[in-house]
Each structure stands twice: as C-alpha cells, then as structure tokens.
C-alpha cells in the first residue's frame, strides 16, 4: 500500500485482499463489505461526579469523544460513523458536531446493549459494525484496522478486542472456550464475576466488531437481570456463542489503548500519558523540554528544532514556534505563531497572536488576539496588547496598554503609555508612524495619529493628530511655589 503523509497506511481489509486474488483467478470481484463505526457515548459518567457528560471531559486538550472520532474517521469516512448520544445530548452534539459524524439518540440510557438496540435502523444498511467506547480515547486507527481484519478473516459474528492487564479490577473478563482458543464463551462483568473469574487478567476493552445481521438477529435475547439492571452488550458473547455463532477475541499488545476515563484519576493518567508522548515526539524532533512532566503541550502544536521550553509552560491549540526560541517558565500560549529566535520571558499570556523573528516578549506580557509583533520588537513587563501591529524594532517595554493600534518601525513607547481606544460605545484606532517617540505616561485618545518622527512629551494627553517631526505636549505647565512647604510646616507647629 502506498504511504502518504497524514493518512497512515492502515492494514488492508482481508476482503480487499480476497477481492484482488479473486479478480486474478478470473472470478467476479465480490463487493467489499460495508462497514460502519458506532461509538457508544450516551452515558452520564456517574463516577466522575460532574455536570459535564463523561465523553466531553478532556484529556490531551480535547474531549474524550473527539479522540475516538479522530481514530474512527481514519478507518471509515465520517458519514459512516454514528455517535450514540443521550445524556446531555444537545451539549455533546454542539461540541462534536463539527466532526461531521452522524448522531443517534439513546434517550434513556439502559446499558451498552441498549445503545446498539437504538442504532438498529441506522446500521441496517451495513454488513459489519465496529463498536467503540466514547470514553476510551487512546485507541489508534491501526488497532481498529487490525481488529476489523481479524474479524473478517475469522468470519466471526462478534470479535472483541481484549488486553492483559496487571490489574484487571473493574473491567469485564474474557472467558475463552479454552486457553489456546480464539473463541470466546462469555464476558463476565466485574460485579457478577466469581472469585476464580476475577483472577482472569484478560479484559474486555469495550471495542468490538459485529456482523450486523447476526447482532440484530439475537440482540433481543439480552436481559436486564444483572447487577445494574441494564442491557449489557458484553452478554452478546454468550448469546451468540450459545446460538453457535463464532465469537472471537483479538488481544492487543498495547494495553494502554484500552484505558477508559471513568474516574478523575483515570482521566489524569490518560492526560499525562498523552502529554508525555507529545513531549517525547517533540524531543525526538530536536526540541529541548526541561521537566516535560510539568509542560502541557497540545497535540497540534508544532515546534522547530533547537527551541527550548522551560518547566511549567503551556502551549495550546494550533500554536507554531520557530527554531532557536526560548519559552521561559509559566507562559501560556494559545493559537499563536512565533518566528525564529524569539524569547518569551517568564509569565507571558498570549492568544491568537503573531510574533516575528528575534522579538523579545515579557516577562509578564499579555498579548490578546490580533497582536502582531514585528521583527526584533520588544514587549516588556506588564504590557497588554490587543489587535495591534508593532513594527520592526519598536519597543513598548513597561506598564502599557496598546489596543486597536498600528505602530510603525523604530518607535519607542514610553512606560505607562495608554491608547484610549474605547469611547464607551465604539472602538477607535491609534496610528503611530515610524520613528515616533512617545514620552512616558502619555494617553493617546483615539482616533488619533502621531506622524513620522514626532515626539510626544511625557504625561501628555494627546487628543489631536500630531504632524510629523513635531513635538506635542498636552499637559499643564509646571508651577513652582518657592518656600511653600516650609511655610506650611511652620504654621502647623504654631497651632
Ligand atoms: C464496559 C464493559 C466492560 C469493559 C469496559 C471497558 C459493559 C456492560 N461493560 O464497562 O466489560 O471491560 O467497558 O472499558 O459494556 N453507554 C451508552 N449507553 C448506555 C450506557 C453506556 O452509550 O446506556 C456508553 C458510555 O457513555 C461509555 C460506554 O458506553 O462511553 C461504556 O459504558 P461504561 O458505563 O463506561 O461501561 P464500563 O463500566 O466501563
Ligand atoms: Ca468505561
């Protein structure tokens, strides 16, 4: 199979292989099986004790369900993916709708078996359905592909993905017909397991493939006579096995992929694992990350080699950072683009901004959306920017607010400068041309323009445009009253 970036080669479906060999021998090509993915995502997540439905809880910077959908759509197209939702369905739909998958409503959550009962009509047009759990986000497209192939090769009615866990507590256990057999007799849930069954370390991952016809021919035999009074999808193993249908287990070597986020502790473990694997990938690509366990770096972040990320840094969303940069501790950067050789000093917050090569930001700068910092420019401590352009080599080093402003190259913005961009109703623009010097503690009342090379005297309130190369002073002249202080002190003593 041809490999191309972005769509890793998945193991070919057995039917595709069969189809091509059949074609060679002159037989008509059998149609390839129609395969859907159903993702069970209707549960509440009682163990999380949360207002937010379980599948919207995040790990690695994204809702659990979005990870599962991400894996699913690399195996089948989004229009063949069905997310079964129920608890807080509108909220889940709003958060996940952008993925383009179908939604099936399970209005009452009566168990994993019931979730599949509800999807019956939607799945009627398919030959096989791959069933995934919306709360187990580490599943990979490769493993789903292997599971599908195994199912098709085995011509099974039900194939389940299993794994050996050191501590299988809480999971359903896989009871094989015999130790060496691929065939499964039943899955027994933790709560119904005998002491001997609890010793089985092979667990049911909650991922399956079913032949659709066989699934729905027997799903009516599920009952709610169990610890939770729910329809367990896991009981389909015994139901189908008793009906002399083939039920097999495919064991994954990577037990991590099956972990579910049922509790806050499990969510933290999954999140930690995802973050660390992102850091490992970046380090392998030439990025230095000190104390990686303290850094939070989202999956889509890109960083060029020889950039250094210090402890306790968060790089979020689609942030891209060039080569030879240094991001110092306690900075939080979201959806921003940073050029080469940039220094982000301690404690900066940056969102939807661009910083060009060689710029120096911070410590403690706040770059709000739409800030564009030019090459070699400096933005210093306690400077807030929003929707501005700061030209090449310009500096705003201390205690300043710059909003809705276009600032040219080689400009010096003195400490405490404020662009007054808001009149209580509308936002207005401040334009500061190349080479301007704004004295400290000035206020620039927008709309206003300071022309090329002009000076603004310290503590000015500038309300009118300043022509180029001129000096503008907008403050009361200093008054000195000689001897005033001495007189006042003498008067007090006399009282
Ligand atoms: C399930 C399996 C267990 C397996 C484990 C693996 C059953 C009965 N047990 O247990 O054998 O070891 O997964 O993680 O299936 N859901 C619905 N509708 C419902 C109930 C649940 O869509 O009516 C969804 C949940 O949102 C969740 C998934 O199904 O995403 C699994 O349900 P959950 O309650 O987490 O099952 P487990 O107890 O983890
Ligand atoms: Ca679960």
């Amino acid at each position: 199979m041809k490999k191309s970036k972005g769509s890793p080669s998945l193991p070919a479906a057995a039917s595709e292989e069969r189809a091509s060999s059949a074609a060679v021998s002159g037989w008509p090509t059998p149609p390839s099986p129609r395969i859907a993915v159903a993702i069970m995502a209707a549960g509440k997540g009682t163990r999380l004790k949360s207002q937010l439905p379980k599948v919207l809880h995040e790990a690695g910077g994204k809702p659990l369900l979005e990870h599962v959908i991400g894996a699913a759509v690399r195996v089948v197209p989004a229009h063949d993916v069905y997310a079964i939702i129920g608890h807080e369905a509108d909220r889940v739909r709003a958060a996940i709708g952008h993925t383009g998958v179908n939604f099936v409503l399970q209005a009452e959550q009566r168990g994993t078996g019931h979730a599949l009962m509800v999807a019956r009509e939607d799945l009627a047009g398919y030959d096989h359905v791959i069933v995934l759990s919306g709360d187990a986000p580490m599943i990979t497209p490769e493993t789903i592909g292997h599971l599908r192939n195994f199912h098709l090769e085995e011509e099974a009615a039900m194939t389940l993905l299993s794994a050996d866990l050191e501590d299988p507590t809480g999971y359903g256990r896989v009871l094989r017909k015999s130790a060496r057999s691929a065939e499964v007799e039943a899955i027994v849930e933790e709560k119904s397991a005998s002491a001997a069954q609890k010793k089985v370390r092979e667990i049911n991952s909650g991922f399956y493939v079913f032949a659709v016809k066989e699934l729905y021919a027997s799903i009516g035999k599920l009952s709610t006579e169990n610890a939770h009074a729910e329809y367990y999808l896991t009981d389909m193993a015994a139901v189908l096995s008793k009906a002399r249908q083939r039920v097999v287990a495919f064991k994954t070597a990577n037990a991590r992929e099956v972990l579910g986020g049922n509790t806050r502790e499990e969510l933290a473990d999954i999140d930690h694992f995802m973050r660390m694997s992102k850091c490992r990938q970046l380090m392998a690509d030439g990025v230095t990350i000190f104390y990686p366990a303290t850094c939070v770096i989202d999956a889509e972040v890109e960083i060029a080699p020889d950039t250094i990320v210090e402890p306790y840094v968060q790089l979020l969303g689609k942030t891209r950072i060039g080569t030879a940069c240094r991001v110092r501790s306690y900075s939080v950067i979201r959806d921003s683009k940073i050029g080469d050789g940039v220094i982000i000093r301690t404690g900066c917050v940056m969102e939807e901004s661009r910083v060009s090569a060689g710029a120096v930001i911070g410590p403690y700068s706040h770059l709000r959306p739409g800030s564009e910092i030019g090459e070699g420019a400096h933005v210093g401590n306690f400077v807030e920017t929003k929707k501005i352009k700061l030209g090449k080599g310009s500096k705003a080093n201390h205690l300043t607010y710059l909003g809705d402003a276009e600032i040219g190259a080689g400009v010096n913005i003195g400490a405490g400068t404020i662009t007054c961009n808001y009149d209580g109703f509308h936002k207005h623009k401040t334009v500061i041309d190349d080479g301007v010097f704004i004295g400290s503690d000035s206020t620039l009342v927008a709309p206003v323009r300071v022309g090329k090379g002009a000076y603004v005297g310290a503590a000015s309130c500038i309300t009118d445009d300043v022509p180029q190369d001129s000096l503008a002073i907008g403050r009361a002249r200093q008054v000195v009253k000689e001897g005033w202080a001495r007189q006042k002190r003498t008067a007090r003593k006399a009282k």
Side-chain angles (χ1 to χ4, degrees):
M1 200 188 287
K2 217 173 102 190
K3 281 198 181 181
S4 66
K5 211 176 167 233
S7 61
S9 72
L10 290 173
S15 61
E16 283 167 27
E17 283 155 16
R18 270 204 300 272
S20 55
S21 57
V24 170
S25 59
W27 291 93
T29 310
S32 43
R34 294 161 301 175
I35 299 180
V37 172
I39 305 175
M40 299 181 294
K44 182 169 181 229
T46 312
R47 287 164 278 181
L48 289 171
K49 302 187 173 70
S50 176
Q51 297 285 339
L52 193 68
K54 171 159 68 172
V55 294
L56 292 190
H57 276 261
E58 288 185 6
K62 267 197 293 194
L64 300 181
L65 179 54
E66 212 175 312
H67 287 283
V68 181
I69 290 173
V73 296
R74 282 171 58 194
V75 181
V76 302
H79 60 81
D80 288 326
V81 176
Y82 296 82
I84 303 166
I85 58 173
H87 179 73
E88 295 269 11
D90 291 341
R91 224 166 148 183
V92 177
R93 214 188 286 262
I96 302 297
H98 66 92
T99 59
V101 303
N102 305 287
F103 292 101
V104 179
L105 187 67
Q106 185 195 11
E108 253 186 291
Q109 293 86 53
R110 300 170 64 195
T112 46
H114 182 247
L116 266 288
M117 289 177 191
V118 169
R120 184 176 200 143
E121 274 180 30
D122 295 280
L123 298 176
Y126 295 92
D127 300 309
H128 301 275
V129 57
I130 300 169
V131 178
L132 307 177
S133 269
D135 66 344
M138 292 215 273
I139 191 70
T140 60
E142 288 75 18
T143 298
I144 300 172
H146 287 305
L147 181 68
R148 172 202 59 195
N149 292 357
F150 188 77
H151 172 82
L152 295 174
E153 277 158 18
E154 291 282 326
E155 297 180 352
M158 173 180 183
T159 302
L160 61 100
L161 184 73
S162 71
D164 284 333
L165 292 192
E166 280 296 311
D167 176 13
T169 314
Y171 287 89
R173 309 296 207 283
V174 177
L175 308 181
R176 296 200 184 227
K177 285 195 172 165
S178 71
R180 283 211 199 96
S181 167
E183 282 194 80
V184 171
E185 204 154 40
I187 301 168
V188 54
E189 289 302 295
E190 168 91 15
K191 282 210 172 152
S192 327
S194 65
Q197 287 167 340
K198 278 188 184 149
K199 290 211 177 92
V200 174
R201 284 179 43 227
E202 184 177 13
I203 62 96
N204 166 39
S205 68
F207 302 115
Y208 320 84
V209 189
F210 289 96
V212 170
K213 210 171 109 219
E214 281 73 12
L215 169 67
Y216 288 112
S218 300
I219 202 165
K221 292 185 193 151
L222 291 181
S223 88
T224 54
E225 280 162 30
N226 53 51
H228 290 104
E230 285 184 349
Y231 294 106
Y232 288 168
L233 188 59
T234 46
D235 286 345
M236 283 308 297
V239 166
L240 287 168
S241 177
K242 275 192 199 120
R244 301 194 177 283
Q245 297 285 349
R246 193 166 167 76
V247 179
V248 294
F250 174 77
K251 198 189 282 184
T252 172
N254 186 0
R256 261 211 188 90
E257 282 188 40
V258 310
L259 297 182
N262 300 294
T263 62
R264 305 264 179 177
E265 194 179 339
E266 285 173 355
L267 279 177
D269 287 345
I270 292 171
D271 183 70
H272 176 71
F273 181 80
M274 287 179 174
R275 300 299 188 185
M276 283 306 287
S277 62
K278 175 68 182 179
C279 285
R280 269 194 291 270
Q281 176 215 318
L282 288 167
M283 291 190 279
D285 292 345
V287 178
T288 293
I289 305 177
F290 292 117
Y291 291 89
T294 66
C295 293
V296 174
I297 304 181
D298 279 355
E300 288 175 49
V301 170
E302 293 172 26
I303 309 178
D306 281 331
T307 280
I308 297 174
V309 178
E310 295 192 358
Y312 298 100
V313 163
Q314 295 194 37
L315 304 172
L316 309 171
K318 293 186 175 16
T319 294
R320 277 162 61 192
I321 301 181
T323 184
C325 296
R326 188 167 193 119
V327 185
R328 311 214 65 159
S329 294
Y330 312 113
S331 289
V332 180
I333 301 173
R334 181 187 293 281
D335 294 327
S336 296
K337 192 167 176 262
I338 294 167
D340 298 337
V342 169
I343 297 177
I344 312 283
R345 293 186 171 139
T346 305
C348 292
V349 175
M350 193 186 296
E351 271 181 52
E352 294 169 40
S353 294
R354 278 167 175 266
V355 179
S356 298
V360 180
I361 312 293
Y364 311 111
S365 306
H366 185 188
L367 273 55
R368 291 167 51 204
S371 299
E372 289 185 29
I373 310 304
E375 218 180 294
H378 287 199
V379 176
N381 18 209
F382 310 109
V383 174
E384 175 183 348
T385 66
K386 187 218 75 176
K387 219 172 159 191
I388 67 149
K389 278 197 180 120
L390 186 64
K392 190 171 172 179
S394 291
K395 290 176 183 168
N397 269 330
H398 329 269
L399 306 160
T400 286
Y401 171 65
L402 301 170
D404 301 294
E406 209 174 300
I407 301 162
V411 169
N412 191 81
I413 307 279
T417 298
I418 289 172
T419 54
C420 310
N421 56 334
Y422 187 50
D423 62 11
F425 301 97
H426 300 104
K427 296 282 171 70
H428 302 282
K429 195 166 171 183
T430 301
V431 178
I432 301 173
D433 289 329
D434 293 351
V436 163
F437 182 97
I438 308 281
S440 295
D441 196 26
S442 295
T443 50
L444 304 160
V445 181
V448 73
R449 179 173 196 141
V450 183
K452 197 170 169 187
Y455 266 63
V456 168
S460 289
C461 176
I462 299 297
T463 52
D464 298 319
D465 286 357
V466 180
Q468 70 174 61
D469 293 323
S470 53
L471 166 67
I473 304 172
R475 61 170 192 241
R477 183 166 277 282
Q478 181 173 329
V479 175
V480 177
K481 297 186 176 176
E482 281 208 41
W484 182 94
R486 196 184 330 112
Q487 277 167 20
K488 184 160 175 102
R489 278 194 297 271
T490 323
R492 270 179 71 109
K493 267 188 202 158
K495 271 192 189 168

